């Protein structure tokens, strides 16, 4: 930011010096040729343009650093644009969807009682406080007082994670009669459950807790090590890391592969990618960028799937290989790699990215120039689309398809007509917004083809955000194996969350069940999928898809 400010002021000083050199005053007249005058005029104009571009970058940078991240239009601008979509002579009239009357209701204020904040199956520990007979002696007649009532005070008790040793004892049995009378003594042994890691003292509960803390609560292993050490448990981060990678490879990877196979059977997917630093990447410096790719199903499926994949680069062959066998619609953010996919994959553009470009164009302008600007008008077109879409989110795909053609297509047609009449410097924020809009237009309107498609790629961005949040804490991965192991774990955890499962209970279920399943059966992994998790893994509330 300081560098941009210095550069802008340097240009300003340079321009002022140029103007001073060519200033004509009454004391001394300087005569120059027409060619020199035109050259100086063009030079000054170019310098002014560069200064304005730098000032735009400064204002936009200050907004990103200090301002709100919301892309909602300001109230003052909304008033100025209130009649934008009613100008029949320039734009198509847009009708609002029919309003449906609903029964009035009163929202009760939450009292904060335990019944409201806790599920029904929480155990209750009753502690009774009574007086001894001596304390109950009546001061007047020395008779023992009898119980006539009680006062109950309920409180929430939270106990930190408890560490204990579980000792499993498997008994053997023999027939003493046969031992005394027969040649052979029959022996019967209790069936032993296989451990999650052979020869290790690790338990499914311990590994699930470490995974949940790292991949859900964003607590790196070194912090967990410190917390355990303060409790007297001298468990090193190296041991925890080896546990995680071992179970990810042995038990979670087969589940991941089955999820991948099922993901490709859907016809509507979302994709996104973000950076990751891997220290020991072969052939690369430790500071080089690697990438975590994310693919997920849409809102049209009953059991969502979210899969991460680690790759050392951002090449187009990565999504092409991962999506091999997929045919249908893919929501993406405009990255060119997605447009090299086979013809049986239709890339759907993201209106959130288009709106963000116009939002940046608005914030690059001084506040005094924002009102009535082309940037604000373009932003409001995008806002209109999102406003209509919000009212259609709970309709069936068929109904949504019809309503989009009726309500949103006129807005799109008017938007494109308006955008084609605008002129802006290519390097300015508005110029970039208009270029993105017109370049991406064929992909931005693809969502009109199917009611299952969505206006933006926000569903993918929400799913990749947990990884981004965790990355701020652990900063980097040590090896490619560790990065891919993390991708597998993130896939199971985020899919579990999307299916209303508690990640810890689900992981405990998988790590307890997987070692004891007959893995020679071709479908042995099916019961371990999040969609087939038992009821005790579920969270005690139901999520409405209309609330997404």
């Amino acid at each position: 930011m300081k560098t941009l400010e210095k550069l802008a002021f340097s240009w300003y000083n340079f321009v002022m010096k140029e103007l001073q050199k060519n200033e004509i005053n009454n004391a001394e007249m300087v005569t120059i040729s027409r060619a020199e005058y035109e050259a100086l005029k063009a030079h000054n104009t170019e310098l002014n343009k560069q200064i304005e571009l730098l000032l735009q970058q400064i204002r936009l940078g200050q907004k990103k650093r200090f301002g709100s991240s919301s892309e909602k239009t300001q109230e003052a601008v909304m008033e100025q644009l209130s009649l934008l979509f009613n100008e029949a002579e320039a734009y198509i009239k847009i009708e609002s969807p029919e309003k449906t009357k609903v029964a009035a209701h009163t929202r009760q204020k939450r009292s904060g009682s335990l019944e409201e904040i806790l599920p029904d199956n929480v155990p209750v520990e009753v502690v009774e406080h009574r007086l001894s007979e001596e304390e109950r002696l009546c001061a007047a007649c020395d008779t023992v007082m009898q119980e006539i009532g009680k006062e109950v005070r309920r409180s929430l008790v939270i106990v930190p994670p408890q560490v204990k040793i579980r000792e499993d004892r498997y008994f053997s049995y023999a027939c003493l009669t046969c031992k005394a009378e027969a040649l052979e003594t029959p022996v019967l042994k209790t069936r032993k459950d296989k451990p999650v890691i052979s020869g290790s003292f690790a338990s499914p509960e311990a590994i699930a807790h470490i995974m949940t803390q790292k991949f859900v609560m964003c607590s790196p292993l070194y912090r967990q090590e410190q917390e355990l050490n303060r409790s007297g448990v001298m468990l090193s981060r190296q041991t925890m890391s080896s546990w995680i990678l071992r179970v990810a490879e042995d038990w979670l990877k087969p589940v991941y592969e089955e999820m991948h196979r099922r993901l490709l059977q859907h016809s509507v997917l979302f994709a996104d990618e973000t950076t990751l630093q891997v220290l020991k990447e072969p052939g690369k410096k430790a500071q080089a960028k690697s990438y975590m790719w994310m693919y997920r199903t849409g809102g049209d499926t009953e059991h969502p799937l979210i899969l991460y994949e680690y790759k050392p680069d951002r090449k187009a062959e990565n999504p092409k290989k991962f999506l091999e066998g997929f045919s249908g619609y893919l929501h993406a953010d405009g990255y060119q790699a997605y447009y090299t996919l086979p013809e049986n994959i239709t890339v759907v553009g993201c209106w959130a990215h288009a709106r963000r470009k116009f939002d940046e164009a608005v914030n690059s302008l001084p506040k005094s120039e924002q009102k009535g600007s082309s940037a604000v008008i373009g932003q409001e077109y995008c806002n209109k689309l999102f406003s209509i879409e919000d009212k259609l989110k709970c309709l069936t795909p068929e109904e949504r398809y019809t309503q989009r053609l009726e309500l949103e297509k006129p807005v799109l047609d008017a938007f494109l007509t308006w955008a084609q009449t605008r002129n802006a410097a290519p390097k300015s924020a508005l110029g970039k917004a208009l270029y993105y809009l017109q370049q991406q237009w064929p992909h931005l309107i693809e969502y009109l083809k199917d009611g299952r498609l969505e206006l933006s790629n926000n569903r993918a961005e929400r799913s990749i955000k947990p990884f981004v949040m965790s990355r701020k804490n652990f900063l980097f991965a040590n090896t490619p194996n560790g990065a891919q192991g993390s991708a597998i774990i993130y896939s199971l955890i985020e899919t579990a969350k999307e299916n209303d499962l508690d990640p810890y209970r689900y992981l405990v279920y998988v790590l307890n069940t997987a070692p004891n399943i007959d893995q020679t059966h071709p479908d042995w992994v099916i019961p371990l999928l999040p969609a087939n998790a038992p009821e005790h893994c579920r969270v005690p509330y139901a999520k409405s898809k209309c609330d997404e």
Side-chain angles (χ1 to χ4, degrees), residues 19-80:
L19 293 174
Q20 290 173 1
K21 288 180 182 179
N22 298 287
E23 184 179 18
I24 301 177
N25 52 48
N26 297 327
E28 181 179 356
M29 300 294 293
V30 178
T31 304
I32 61 175
S33 66
R34 169 63 64 177
E36 290 177 321
Y37 173 77
E38 294 296 337
L40 286 173
K41 184 178 179 181
H43 184 55
N44 290 338
T45 302
E46 181 63 26
L47 291 176
N48 286 329
K49 287 182 179 179
Q50 295 185 30
I51 290 176
E52 179 58 30
L53 289 176
L54 290 172
L55 289 174
Q56 285 187 14
Q57 294 179 36
I58 291 173
R59 286 190 288 266
L60 185 57
Q62 289 176 331
K63 169 64 169 58
K64 289 182 177 180
R65 185 176 181 183
F66 303 110
S68 170
S69 60
S70 174
E71 297 171 0
K72 292 183 178 179
T73 308
Q74 299 175 7
E75 291 298 328
V77 178
M78 286 291 291
E79 293 179 6
Q80 188 263 335

Side-chain angles (χ1 to χ4, degrees), residues 39 46 54 56 130 159-160 320 345 439 453 509 515 528:
E46 181 63 26
L54 290 172
Q56 285 187 14
R130 284 188 166 89
V159 180
K320 187 178 298 183
I345 299 178
Q439 182 205 36
L453 304 179
Y509 161 71
L528 304 178

Side-chain angles (χ1 to χ4, degrees), residues 91 118 207 222 345 377 399 406 419 449 458 474 548:
Y91 308 115
L118 295 178
I207 298 174
Y222 78 89
I345 299 178
I377 295 175
E399 293 172 335
E406 181 181 346
K449 292 182 177 179
N458 284 345
F474 63 70
E548 294 180 355

Side-chain angles (χ1 to χ4, degrees), residues 168-171 189-195 515-516:
D168 294 304
R169 300 181 180 183
Y170 300 94
F171 293 91
K189 293 184 178 181
T190 307
R191 179 183 174 275
K192 291 195 295 185
D193 291 332
K194 295 180 181 178
N516 298 286

Side-chain angles (χ1 to χ4, degrees), residues 471-528:
R471 186 185 59 196
K472 293 180 179 180
N473 290 277
F474 63 70
L475 301 180
F476 52 79
N478 192 37
T479 64
N481 287 338
Q484 184 55 28
S486 297
I488 292 173
I489 299 169
Y490 270 114
S491 299
L492 268 70
I493 285 179
E494 290 305 313
T495 300
K497 289 163 59 178
E498 195 78 0
N499 285 271
D500 297 329
L501 302 178
D502 174 63
Y504 170 76
R505 293 199 293 267
Y506 170 67
L507 289 173
V508 170
Y509 161 71
V510 172
L511 299 181
N512 268 317
T513 307
N516 298 286
I517 293 181
D518 180 10
Q519 296 170 31
T520 61
H521 194 282
D523 296 329
W524 71 273
V525 75
I526 302 301
L528 304 178

Side-chain angles (χ1 to χ4, degrees), residues 175-276:
C175 178
L176 299 181
T177 302
C178 292
K179 181 178 180 181
E181 300 176 358
L183 295 177
E184 295 183 359
T185 304
V187 175
L188 184 63
K189 293 184 178 181
T190 307
R191 179 183 174 275
K192 291 195 295 185
D193 291 332
K194 295 180 181 178
V196 64
I197 300 177
S198 180
S200 171
F201 58 83
S203 70
E205 291 79 7
I207 298 174
H209 173 73
I210 294 170
M211 285 182 172
T212 304
Q213 289 297 305
K214 176 176 171 61
F215 298 102
V216 179
M217 304 308 297
C218 309
S219 179
L221 294 182
Y222 78 89
R223 292 185 188 171
Q224 296 189 53
E225 178 186 42
Q226 294 172 351
E227 183 179 5
L228 289 169
N229 290 171
R230 286 192 292 268
S231 302
V233 182
M234 310 309 292
L235 188 63
S236 69
R237 72 188 80 170
Q238 290 80 9
T239 300
M240 291 188 282
S241 178
S242 65
W243 287 356
I244 289 175
L245 295 181
R246 178 69 179 274
V247 300
E249 180 67 25
D250 291 350
W251 311 121
L252 304 187
K253 186 177 180 179
V255 183
Y256 174 88
E257 292 172 346
E258 178 62 22
M259 289 167 56
H260 184 194
R261 187 184 69 81
R262 296 191 173 209
L263 179 85
L264 300 179
Q265 296 175 357
H266 290 264
S267 57
V268 178
L269 297 181
F270 292 71
D272 201 1
E273 74 287 333
T274 188
T275 57
L276 171 66

Side-chain angles (χ1 to χ4, degrees), residues 120-370:
D120 297 333
N121 58 350
V122 172
V124 177
E125 178 186 5
V126 178
V127 180
E128 296 183 339
H129 304 270
R130 284 188 166 89
L131 299 176
S132 64
E133 283 195 12
E134 294 182 359
E135 293 172 314
R136 288 187 283 135
L137 291 176
C138 178
C141 64
D142 284 342
T143 303
V144 177
M145 294 183 179
Q146 300 300 315
E147 186 177 293
I148 60 172
K150 62 184 177 182
E151 178 184 347
V152 178
R153 182 183 66 191
R154 308 187 78 193
S155 56
L156 176 65
V157 179
I158 300 178
V159 180
Q162 296 179 345
V163 177
K164 63 181 179 181
I165 297 175
R166 184 177 67 202
E167 191 175 85
D168 294 304
R169 300 181 180 183
Y170 300 94
F171 293 91
S172 301
Y173 304 87
C175 178
L176 299 181
T177 302
C178 292
K179 181 178 180 181
E181 300 176 358
L183 295 177
E184 295 183 359
T185 304
V187 175
L188 184 63
K189 293 184 178 181
T190 307
R191 179 183 174 275
K192 291 195 295 185
D193 291 332
K194 295 180 181 178
V196 64
I197 300 177
S198 180
S200 171
F201 58 83
S203 70
E205 291 79 7
I207 298 174
H209 173 73
I210 294 170
M211 285 182 172
T212 304
Q213 289 297 305
K214 176 176 171 61
F215 298 102
V216 179
M217 304 308 297
C218 309
S219 179
L221 294 182
Y222 78 89
R223 292 185 188 171
Q224 296 189 53
E225 178 186 42
Q226 294 172 351
E227 183 179 5
L228 289 169
N229 290 171
R230 286 192 292 268
S231 302
V233 182
M234 310 309 292
L235 188 63
S236 69
R237 72 188 80 170
Q238 290 80 9
T239 300
M240 291 188 282
S241 178
S242 65
W243 287 356
I244 289 175
L245 295 181
R246 178 69 179 274
V247 300
E249 180 67 25
D250 291 350
W251 311 121
L252 304 187
K253 186 177 180 179
V255 183
Y256 174 88
E257 292 172 346
E258 178 62 22
M259 289 167 56
H260 184 194
R261 187 184 69 81
R262 296 191 173 209
L263 179 85
L264 300 179
Q265 296 175 357
H266 290 264
S267 57
V268 178
L269 297 181
F270 292 71
D272 201 1
E273 74 287 333
T274 188
T275 57
L276 171 66
Q277 184 179 358
V278 179
L279 298 183
K280 299 178 182 178
E281 182 75 62
K284 296 175 65 176
K285 295 181 179 180
Q287 297 81 7
K289 289 182 180 179
S290 297
Y291 286 85
M292 187 68 79
W293 297 72
M294 192 283 306
Y295 308 86
R296 64 153 299 154
T297 55
D300 62 315
T301 177
E302 182 181 0
H303 298 291
L305 294 168
I306 301 175
L307 274 78
Y308 291 78
E309 185 188 37
Y310 159 75
K311 286 296 179 181
D313 50 49
R314 205 185 181 195
K315 294 181 179 178
E317 64 188 37
N318 295 325
K320 187 178 298 183
K321 184 176 180 180
F322 188 89
L323 295 173
E324 186 176 354
F326 166 71
S327 179
Y329 297 98
L330 178 69
H331 289 76
D333 58 5
Y335 178 42
Q336 291 300 315
Y338 297 113
Y339 302 127
T340 64
L341 294 171
E343 294 182 356
N344 61 324
I345 299 178
T346 301
V347 179
V348 183
C350 176
W351 275 100
H353 281 76
R355 180 172 65 175
R356 195 168 301 152
K357 298 289 185 182
F358 282 101
D359 181 71
E360 291 175 354
V362 171
N363 289 297
S364 69
L365 299 173
K367 289 189 179 298
S368 59
E369 298 180 13
Q370 291 181 6

